[in-house]
Amino acid sequence: MPRGDKSAYTDKQKRQAEHIEESERERGASEGTAERIAWATVNKQDGGGKRSGSARQATKKVARKTTAKKASASKATAKKVAKKTAAKKTPAKKAVTRKTAAKKAVKKAPAKVPAKKAAAGKATQKSASRSTAAKKAAKTRAAKKAVRKTAAKKAARTRAGS
């Protein structure tokens, strides 16, 4: 069968392609482009030409076998995924308990802590569940806030002194 042969297509598919081609021509597409779009659309909808007779029945049997194989393979992968998620859930619970323990330790910390250390402690406490970029950004914000605070205190002292 030479390339571009449309003998494998049913009459219905040929009519569909003709209709699509006409509508593309009305929209202003060239004849070659309209034909290309029409057959591409038919192929996309039906997966190519639908053979008639015994050839079509043979392809149906093959299709049934492949779908059965896919179904059994998907069941196996579903079981593997279920095992992985069950394995992942237990460490997540441990991480939650670690976070709460860290929060308790921060609460028990002495009240008189320098501003920079307190800000850094808050940043690390909040960033336990964040990405590394978010952690870095939070740390930078906390450091800048501490610098602004010390600058404001220094400015207040100079104003009071003068």
Side-chain angles (χ1 to χ4, degrees), residues 57-108:
Q57 290 172 350
T59 56
K60 280 186 180 180
K61 287 180 184 177
V62 173
R64 285 185 197 143
K65 286 180 184 178
T66 55
T67 53
K69 285 181 184 178
K70 286 180 184 177
S72 63
S74 64
K75 285 180 185 177
T77 54
K79 287 181 182 178
K80 287 179 185 177
V81 170
K83 285 182 183 179
K84 284 182 182 179
T85 53
K88 286 182 181 179
K89 285 182 182 178
T90 52
K93 289 179 183 176
K94 290 179 185 176
V96 171
T97 55
R98 283 187 209 136
K99 286 180 191 175
T100 55
K103 286 180 183 178
K104 288 178 184 176
V106 170
K107 286 180 183 177
K108 290 180 183 178

Side-chain angles (χ1 to χ4, degrees), residues 32-50:
T33 304
E35 185 180 0
R36 182 179 51 80
I37 291 171
W39 286 108
T41 306
V42 170
N43 285 335
K44 176 95 174 177
Q45 289 172 346
D46 298 329
K50 290 186 177 178

Side-chain angles (χ1 to χ4, degrees), residues 7-151:
S7 64
Y9 290 91
T10 62
D11 290 337
K12 181 182 177 182
Q13 287 175 316
K14 290 175 184 175
R15 285 192 308 272
Q16 284 176 330
E18 190 177 319
H19 177 73
I20 295 166
E21 187 177 346
E22 286 173 12
S23 62
E24 287 296 321
R25 290 288 293 148
E26 287 174 10
R27 293 178 66 196
S30 67
E31 193 172 326
T33 304
E35 185 180 0
R36 182 179 51 80
I37 291 171
W39 286 108
T41 306
V42 170
N43 285 335
K44 176 95 174 177
Q45 289 172 346
D46 298 329
K50 290 186 177 178
R51 288 168 179 80
S52 59
S54 60
R56 187 172 179 192
Q57 290 172 350
T59 56
K60 280 186 180 180
K61 287 180 184 177
V62 173
R64 285 185 197 143
K65 286 180 184 178
T66 55
T67 53
K69 285 181 184 178
K70 286 180 184 177
S72 63
S74 64
K75 285 180 185 177
T77 54
K79 287 181 182 178
K80 287 179 185 177
V81 170
K83 285 182 183 179
K84 284 182 182 179
T85 53
K88 286 182 181 179
K89 285 182 182 178
T90 52
K93 289 179 183 176
K94 290 179 185 176
V96 171
T97 55
R98 283 187 209 136
K99 286 180 191 175
T100 55
K103 286 180 183 178
K104 288 178 184 176
V106 170
K107 286 180 183 177
K108 290 180 183 178
K112 296 230 176 182
V113 178
K116 285 184 180 178
K117 288 185 180 178
K122 285 181 183 177
T124 55
Q125 177 189 357
K126 288 180 183 176
S127 63
S129 63
R130 295 182 188 167
S131 67
T132 55
K135 288 177 189 177
K136 190 173 182 180
K139 198 172 184 180
T140 306
R141 280 194 303 272
K144 286 182 178 179
K145 187 176 181 181
V147 168
R148 282 194 302 267
K149 209 176 217 183
T150 54

